[in-house]
Amino acid sequence: LAEQDEIGEAEQLYRQILSRHPDNMNATRGLVGLLTRSNRIQEAIQLAERLPPELRNQIGSLSQLKAQYLRDQATEATEAGDQQGAENLLKQALLLDPNSVWVRLDLARIYQQQKRTREANTLVDGILSGNPNMGEAIFVKALLLSEQQRWYDALQLMEQIPLSTRDPGMVQLQH
């Protein structure tokens, strides 16, 4: 049901299963995934945190969920004009999920706005140093370069991503 975009029905079914069998890891994992896809990350975190520690690891990365939640909170803080609050939230998110290229990009953008270009570049380069062929990391670096109006460098970098693996956002950056 969840794969067929019948999210309401799928959620109801997962909750029914869990009311009868609270230790059913497949239902828990499914509901956490569904809540995450529905952008109800805080609910997903709360559900996962109710599990005993030995079962928590079976549903996936709780730290990634928490990092995404913090990233969402940082977006709200930025929109409200609270750059310092957004920066603090993103730093917390980065501690939870150091491999998130999107948390790194959001934090780098704040650094950019504060004229801390070197720190912005270093932050994004950090993920590339350990994953030089990671398409998503290359794309994030190219986005940052384009935002610095270093178009040629961004285009050169994008050439490292095979055409067959580029998503629409990557293609759009090149045009």
Side-chain angles (χ1 to χ4, degrees):
L1 290 173
E3 291 174 12
Q4 298 170 1
D5 278 340
E6 296 177 24
I7 293 175
E9 290 179 49
E11 180 179 351
Q12 189 176 19
L13 184 61
Y14 283 134
R15 290 191 187 278
Q16 285 174 357
I17 292 168
L18 289 170
S19 70
R20 286 183 239 135
H21 308 284
D23 293 337
N24 185 314
M25 286 311 300
N26 287 330
T28 302
R29 191 177 303 115
L31 183 55
V32 167
L34 185 133
L35 292 170
T36 302
R37 283 194 307 275
S38 301
N39 211 20
R40 293 161 55 196
I41 294 170
Q42 188 170 18
E43 283 182 71
I45 291 168
Q46 289 170 346
L47 178 64
E49 285 181 336
R50 283 191 292 226
L51 294 171
E54 63 275 6
L55 297 178
R56 238 180 258 159
N57 296 333
Q58 294 180 28
I59 62 161
S61 176
L62 186 58
S63 61
Q64 286 177 337
L65 277 178
K66 287 180 178 179
Q68 181 59 48
Y69 176 72
L70 289 170
R71 183 174 175 240
D72 292 344
Q73 294 296 304
T75 299
E76 290 178 19
T78 299
E79 290 169 357
D82 182 7
Q83 294 295 324
Q84 188 60 52
E87 180 179 342
N88 291 338
L89 289 163
L90 289 168
K91 285 178 178 178
Q92 290 174 42
L94 192 59
L95 289 173
L96 290 168
D97 190 5
N99 294 321
S100 171
V101 296
W102 302 108
V103 169
R104 286 176 182 264
L105 178 62
D106 289 351
L107 186 54
R109 285 175 168 157
I110 289 174
Y111 290 164
Q112 281 283 112
Q113 292 171 355
Q114 298 170 345
K115 309 287 188 234
R116 295 161 59 190
T117 304
R118 181 179 296 161
E119 287 178 71
N121 286 322
T122 300
L123 182 63
V124 173
D125 289 344
I127 193 91
L128 274 172
S129 66
N131 305 290
N133 298 319
M134 182 181 180
E136 204 170 43
I138 294 168
F139 176 54
V140 163
K141 178 63 178 185
L143 280 171
L144 186 64
L145 290 170
S146 71
E147 291 168 9
Q148 295 169 353
Q149 276 136 48
R150 295 173 54 193
W151 307 110
Y152 180 77
D153 293 336
L155 290 173
Q156 289 292 105
L157 196 58
M158 287 299 296
E159 290 301 317
Q160 295 177 23
I161 302 173
L163 285 173
S164 61
T165 63
R166 292 182 192 171
D167 66 27
M170 294 173 181
V171 172
Q172 183 179 5
L173 180 62
Q174 283 198 287
H175 292 106

